[in-house]
Amino acid sequence: MSVLGHMSVWFSLVAAALSALLYFRLASSRAGSSARPRRLLYLSVVVVGFASVLLLVLLLRHDFSNGYVYSYSDSALPLAYLISSFYAGQEGSFLFWALCGSAIALVLRAAARRHGNEAPVMAVYMTVQTVLLAFVIVKSPFRSVWEMFPQAPLAIPAEGRGLNPLLQNFWMVIHPPVLFLGFAAMAVPFSLAIAGLWKRRYDILPAQAFPWVLGGTTVLGLGIMLGAYWAYGVLGWGGYWGWDPVENSSLVPWLTGIALLHTMLAQLRTGKYMRTNFALALVSFFLVIYSTFLTRSGILGDASVHSFTDPGAAAYWLLLGSLGAIAVAGAGLMIARRADLRPHPAEGHLLSRETSLGAGTMLLILSAAVVAFGTTLPIFSALRVEPSFYNATNLPLVIVMGLLIGLSLYTQWETQDGGATLQRSRVGLFASFVVVASLAILGVEDAGALALIFASVFALFVNVDIGVRIARGDPRFLGGKLAHAGVAIFLLGMIASGRFESRAHVTLPLNRPREALGHTLTYTGFAPTADGKFKFHVRVEGDGESFTLAPVMFPGGEQGVMRNPDIATFFTRDFYLSPVGLEAAQAAADGEALGGGESGGSGFRTAQATPAQPERLVVEASIKPFMSLLWGGMVLMIIGFALAIVKRTQEVQWKV
């Protein structure tokens, strides 16, 4: 079956390359039929699907003669995690990305045909698909275990290495495929932009790309959100975003994609920002590939805990070559069409809707540039940019962005009326001032936090105000307002949980209460679970409440001791308990501990019958205010995007 998988991927690559070539010839000569390249496209899609089914069958059959199956699964994995091992490694994830790209190709081809530009659009898109399949060739999931591990014994392994324990989580079952689908979708505005510049179809982005950009940024944002939720609930370091280079690498194209959404909206209404939109469509996909390069080339192996290992010279140079080709093609066409893209002189208004959108776009681009700089720096320097850098540089940008989210909705398209704008804004500004003044009276002295709260409350008030009026009329137009309200709520949750968190490092002797963070914590012992892990039960009492948390530790083989937190969630706060280590009974005498030493330990010690000192659980406890606002804001933002996708898709189809 592995040989058949190899052949399938090669066959799909050849079909995709021929489809791209024939589409290019058709677009260049304007003669001939699209039937042949279309049939080759269908053939490539079918064969990619067949190869994906083959890999899934190999995983389900526990065929450990296959190197990928051996590396990322074992016979004890539950079905959901066994399926998720499909995209757990570099090889499988490239195949899954190509599979997503194939599905999108079918939808894009039909849409491009309706708009009369199938040949140029699909010529570009199928070239992208060919490159994706080339990645699957050089990082094939169909190599045998002896090809991947030349020193392996000749006998087929009786068992696989298994899936990374940290990936054996529900959210990691759905986070990677959502992220890859978002990456694949971002190839569509890139293809439309290249085709539009090539054929001088400068209306192509506002006419066709808006639903695709909305869809791509929505799915990519959902993937980022799921990854943050996984990190918060599984990794045990107490946060949801650590500004890790690999985390950042998916955030940067999302920021530029959101910027593109806003300038495309301005172009739809006023005809402005045409050149900006082409540039952002090209840059966003360049950043997707750059993200892939950072994540998969091994170049950030020493700077990121999430980075893949070195993929080998072929994949490295293919990634680098793809970046170069995108940059040359995009920049070359922008330069060649610079006269056509020169903006027409137009009267500018400081307080107009399009100016506000342009200013917001600049802030998003600046934020993306800051994050990209910090993410790229470890490539050229041994220094690793600390989270404080990102927090400090992005804070003023986010504050101004929050004010613009509110203010822009009280402005008008292509006209300026400063008095009317301020008149509409006065209630929201007053409400924001009251909230901030109240917090200052209560003792909040952090000026940056107060400024962000002011901007976020203002943005929330304006979007709720306008959203209520829209809901009374045509609720189909609520998408953008819900998304903006979600952003405002998210920012309030972010600043509350980040700036006003309480944290304590606590050692808990068995059955002996300890005070921390205004609560009484009592460690009552640990118990093994059915899957070989250990739960450590801690009773928490305080604020008139009593509950038990059970963080987890377990031996992780070469990765040392693995730690998972446990969280008690309330509307106003989360009580977060992360395990650090277990000091066994008699630890002071014999030095035996789990997670307490430099190596992290490798097993559990049972207490003696009459210990001189009971075992002690070391934990990191924290109270995180209003995490519910953070997650709720994210969910509301995604819902708003989803509603906007439906509306914009209907608009595009109606225009056709």
Side-chain angles (χ1 to χ4, degrees):
M1 290 182 68
S2 292
V3 173
L4 187 58
H6 271 303
M7 294 174 59
S8 299
V9 176
W10 271 107
F11 198 82
S12 181
L13 182 145
V14 172
L18 289 174
S19 177
L21 178 61
L22 291 177
Y23 269 128
F24 267 114
R25 289 179 58 186
L26 182 60
S28 300
S29 64
R30 298 183 181 179
S33 169
S34 61
R36 289 179 62 196
R38 192 180 298 160
R39 283 195 293 266
L40 286 164
L41 182 155
Y42 292 155
L43 181 61
S44 178
V45 169
V46 169
V47 179
V48 166
F50 178 72
S52 301
V53 171
L54 280 180
L55 180 58
L56 194 58
V57 169
L58 288 169
L59 287 163
L60 295 176
R61 291 177 55 184
H62 306 299
D63 188 344
F64 299 124
S65 66
N66 176 279
Y68 187 80
V69 176
Y70 169 75
S71 298
Y72 296 101
S73 72
D74 60 57
S75 57
L77 273 180
L79 179 61
Y81 300 149
L82 192 62
I83 293 173
S84 71
S85 61
F86 183 112
Y87 38 78
Q90 292 218 43
E91 297 86 348
S93 60
F94 275 129
L95 178 58
F96 187 84
W97 189 346
L99 179 65
C100 293
S102 295
I104 289 172
L106 296 175
V107 182
L108 178 61
R109 189 215 61 79
R113 184 185 183 186
R114 291 198 302 270
H115 285 87
N117 51 21
E118 177 183 349
V121 171
M122 297 313 298
V124 180
Y125 188 85
M126 291 309 293
T127 300
V128 172
Q129 187 68 6
T130 300
V131 174
L132 281 177
L133 289 165
F135 283 122
V136 184
I137 294 295
V138 300
K139 290 296 293 182
S140 174
F142 296 107
R143 290 178 293 167
S144 72
V145 68
W146 302 284
E147 289 177 275
M148 291 185 69
F149 304 98
Q151 305 304 318
L154 292 179
I156 297 176
E159 189 55 87
R161 289 184 168 185
L163 186 64
N164 185 326
L166 292 177
L167 302 183
Q168 296 181 37
N169 175 271
F170 170 77
W171 299 111
M172 286 306 286
V173 173
I174 58 177
H175 158 64
V178 171
L179 205 63
F180 288 125
L181 182 59
F183 280 176
M186 294 303 287
V188 175
F190 169 79
S191 300
L192 291 169
I194 292 290
L197 291 170
W198 172 23
K199 306 304 292 183
R200 288 187 163 89
R201 293 279 299 271
Y202 301 122
D203 63 336
I204 195 170
L205 288 179
Q208 293 178 247
F210 204 96
W212 289 102
V213 179
L214 259 175
T217 52
T218 300
V219 174
L220 189 55
L222 178 61
I224 293 171
M225 182 187 82
L226 293 173
Y229 195 78
W230 166 78
Y232 182 71
V234 173
L235 293 187
W237 54 277
Y240 53 88
W241 194 263
W243 296 108
D244 181 271
V246 173
E247 292 176 341
N248 296 346
S249 65
S250 58
L251 176 66
V252 174
W254 184 79
L255 289 172
T256 58
I258 294 297
L260 175 59
L261 275 180
H262 289 81
T263 49
M264 283 182 64
L265 181 61
Q267 186 181 355
L268 283 167
R269 294 298 298 264
T270 68
K272 298 178 180 178
Y273 299 115
M274 180 174 66
R275 180 172 57 184
T276 301
N277 288 334
F278 276 109
L280 284 173
L282 299 172
V283 166
S284 294
F285 187 63
F286 174 87
L287 289 170
V288 166
I289 302 301
Y290 185 59
S291 163
T292 306
F293 174 73
L294 292 179
T295 306
R296 297 169 181 278
S297 66
I299 201 166
L300 291 179
D302 295 331
S304 170
V305 298
H306 302 302
S307 181
F308 285 94
T309 57
D310 186 349
Y316 180 91
W317 288 109
L318 184 57
L319 283 166
L320 205 57
S322 300
L323 282 173
I326 292 170
V328 169
L333 282 169
M334 289 290 290
I335 292 171
R337 303 290 187 255
R338 63 187 182 279
D340 296 347
L341 297 176
R342 187 176 295 117
H344 300 292
E347 184 180 359
H349 300 289
L350 182 61
L351 286 177
S352 65
R353 181 73 59 86
E354 63 272 19
T355 302
S356 298
L357 290 176
T361 296
M362 286 303 302
L363 291 170
L364 287 166
I365 293 172
L366 282 173
S367 179
V370 166
V371 178
F373 168 78
T375 304
T376 304
L377 188 61
I379 298 176
F380 305 101
S381 168
L383 297 176
R384 184 184 186 277
V385 179
E386 295 299 321
S388 57
F389 164 79
Y390 298 105
N391 294 333
T393 51
N394 277 291
L395 180 61
L397 301 177
V398 175
I399 291 170
V400 179
M401 207 177 301
L403 292 172
L404 282 173
I405 288 174
L407 191 64
S408 64
L409 296 180
Y410 285 148
T411 57
Q412 302 296 317
W413 291 105
E414 299 186 283
T415 60
Q416 175 174 295
D417 190 340
T421 299
L422 292 176
Q423 180 74 9
R424 297 186 191 100
S425 304
R426 71 187 191 283
V427 178
L429 292 171
F430 178 74
S432 303
F433 174 78
V434 169
V435 170
V436 168
S438 301
L439 291 173
I441 292 172
L442 291 173
V444 177
E445 299 179 351
D446 189 326
L450 290 173
L452 182 54
I453 291 170
F454 181 92
S456 301
V457 171
F458 177 63
L460 179 60
F461 179 90
V462 173
N463 280 277
V464 170
D465 174 37
I466 296 178
V468 169
R469 283 184 267 164
I470 290 175
R472 292 170 180 167
D474 190 346
R476 294 179 305 162
F477 291 85
L478 269 176
K481 308 307 174 290
L482 288 179
H484 284 146
V487 171
I489 293 171
F490 165 80
L491 292 176
L492 289 171
M494 180 191 71
I495 202 70
S497 61
R499 292 294 182 99
F500 305 115
E501 174 189 24
S502 303
R503 191 183 286 256
H505 192 86
V506 190
T507 299
L508 303 174
L510 183 65
N511 294 321
R512 294 182 184 177
R514 290 288 185 268
E515 298 296 320
L517 305 176
H519 290 70
T520 301
L521 278 60
T522 307
Y523 166 52
T524 60
F526 68 83
T529 64
D531 56 356
K533 300 177 181 179
F534 295 84
K535 286 189 174 182
F536 296 81
H537 300 282
V538 178
R539 187 171 63 252
V540 182
E541 298 170 296
D543 292 336
E545 299 166 331
S546 178
F547 51 90
T548 297
L549 295 177
V552 172
M553 288 192 290
F554 56 98
E558 296 178 357
Q559 302 179 50
V561 175
M562 313 296 285
R563 300 168 175 86
N564 302 144
D566 198 11
I567 309 164
T569 300
F570 307 94
F571 177 74
T572 59
R573 72 194 191 284
D574 279 9
F575 196 99
Y576 190 101
L577 199 65
S578 181
V580 176
L582 179 70
E583 298 177 358
Q586 300 288 347
D590 60 27
E592 294 176 348
L594 175 68
E598 183 176 335
S599 65
S602 60
F604 291 88
R605 302 288 182 175
T606 57
Q608 296 179 6
T610 59
Q613 181 176 328
E615 68 188 40
R616 300 187 299 173
L617 178 67
V618 183
V619 297
E620 186 80 26
S622 59
I623 296 176
K624 304 176 188 299
F626 291 105
M627 284 297 297
S628 58
L629 294 183
L630 187 142
W631 303 124
M634 284 186 174
V635 171
L636 186 60
M637 180 175 62
I638 297 299
I639 292 173
F641 275 128
L643 290 177
I645 290 170
V646 173
K647 176 179 175 293
R648 293 295 176 179
T649 302
Q650 291 173 341
E651 287 181 351
V652 169
Q653 291 174 346
W654 181 81
K655 289 178 181 178
V656 175

